Amino acid sequence: MDADDRFMWMALDLARQGRGRTSPNPMVGAVVVKDSEVVGTGFHQAAGQPHAEVIALKKAGEKAKGATLYVNIEPCSHQGRTGPCTEAIIKAGISRVVAAMEDPNPLVSGRGFTRLTETGITVTVGILEQKARRLNEAFIKYMTTGLPFVGIKVAMSMDGKIGTMSGESQWITGEKSRQFVHRLRDSSDAIMVGIHTVLKDNPRLTTRMEGEGGKDPVKVIVDSTARLPIDARLIESGSQSKTILAVTEKAPEEKCRVLEQKGVEVLVLPSQEGWVNVKALLNKLAERELTTILVEGGGNLNYSLLENGLVDKLFLFIAPIIIGGQKSPTAFSGSGIASLTQAWSVENVEMKQFDRDLLLIGYPVSGKASERESVVSSQHSK
């Protein structure tokens, strides 16, 4: 591994320390290197707080003159909640900047690099770029589409069931899997469920992490007719995180007023086939700078998001049990597809194991699967 790769890995590791705390900003880590020695490090801790580059440069002090700065995303060149990092870099006397990727934010997007090169600073871009893009995949989605990054978490049996025919679902997976889910909650801006999940499980939707404090995400309930009980645990949990109830015009106004008096924010959204329009909901959440949404709902909500091309990532926990039954709920319900050529393909699949449970992580590709995959499938069946 050459020096650029090594110090960029260090910057990426630093950036990860801000996971779940920097929205709507990216996770950023910075390393100042002088004569092959690290003289300053920093990471962005939260929106409105100093950027990684500024922290690293301050630690480096006079040693920053003539040094190289490693950062996992292009330094900002505009005045936001804080001042432009490019000016701090220039003032510190940095001679070279190594960045993993260009910032997709249209307010930056190459302007930071241009500003640096104009002053004679050497700029190298693209070191560990794919790693950097994966780290900030939610920020990239938010900046390029204006929509939040949506991940769906499912706990299911080996035959794809998320509950029994009577609705029992706690607990399909084991304790280690559930702890991983709480880490996912801690790194998400919001957690989304459908009203059926609330009525069946009465969850708190809080983050409970062993041995360390976790951040409770904003709670988003998709509930067309405002059936949310006023004494639901997610309202009475004592959590400081906001609860947002997404309803349609069919929701009774009096019930909505009562929920608002309990501190619930009610969003009246257009309907889609009688249900909350999930695309409109995600637009509203994006306006609130909620950039990462973890969905822990049932099959109908999961399929609605998938069908509308709004799912970016899947976290599928598979427990070594078989439930069976035609009436037992599945991870993705809805109308389904008529032909395998219409199936969603899942790419870049990664597998983890937690005791007896397996976790499959992947990225669904909207629309029908590729012709190549269909051909391969038909060949295997012959």
Side-chain angles (χ1 to χ4, degrees), residues 2 7-8 35 101 109 111 118 123 132 163 173 181 201 233 264 273 299 302 305 322 345 365 367 374:
D2 65 19
F7 292 124
M8 188 58 73
D35 298 327
M101 59 174 285
S109 195
R111 292 179 177 87
E118 285 175 347
V123 174
T173 53
V181 171
D201 297 335
R233 288 207 298 173
V264 176
E273 297 180 358
N302 291 347
L305 290 162
I322 293 176
S345 59
V365 177
S374 298

Side-chain angles (χ1 to χ4, degrees), residues 312-362:
D312 299 292
K313 197 168 187 176
L314 298 170
F315 298 91
L316 306 180
F317 289 88
I318 304 173
I321 60 173
I322 293 176
I323 293 175
Q326 290 183 343
K327 295 183 179 180
S328 300
T330 59
F332 294 89
S333 303
S335 58
I337 58 172
S339 168
L340 287 177
T341 60
Q342 301 172 309
W344 287 265
S345 59
V346 182
E347 298 184 344
N348 300 314
V349 176
E350 174 188 355
M351 185 177 73
K352 297 179 183 290
Q353 186 161 1
F354 300 96
D355 287 339
R356 299 173 68 225
D357 302 331
L358 291 180
L359 168 60
L360 298 180
I361 303 173

Side-chain angles (χ1 to χ4, degrees), residues 106-122:
L107 294 175
V108 184
S109 195
R111 292 179 177 87
F113 294 144
T114 299
R115 174 64 180 140
L116 295 173
T117 56
E118 285 175 347
T119 63
I121 296 174
T122 301

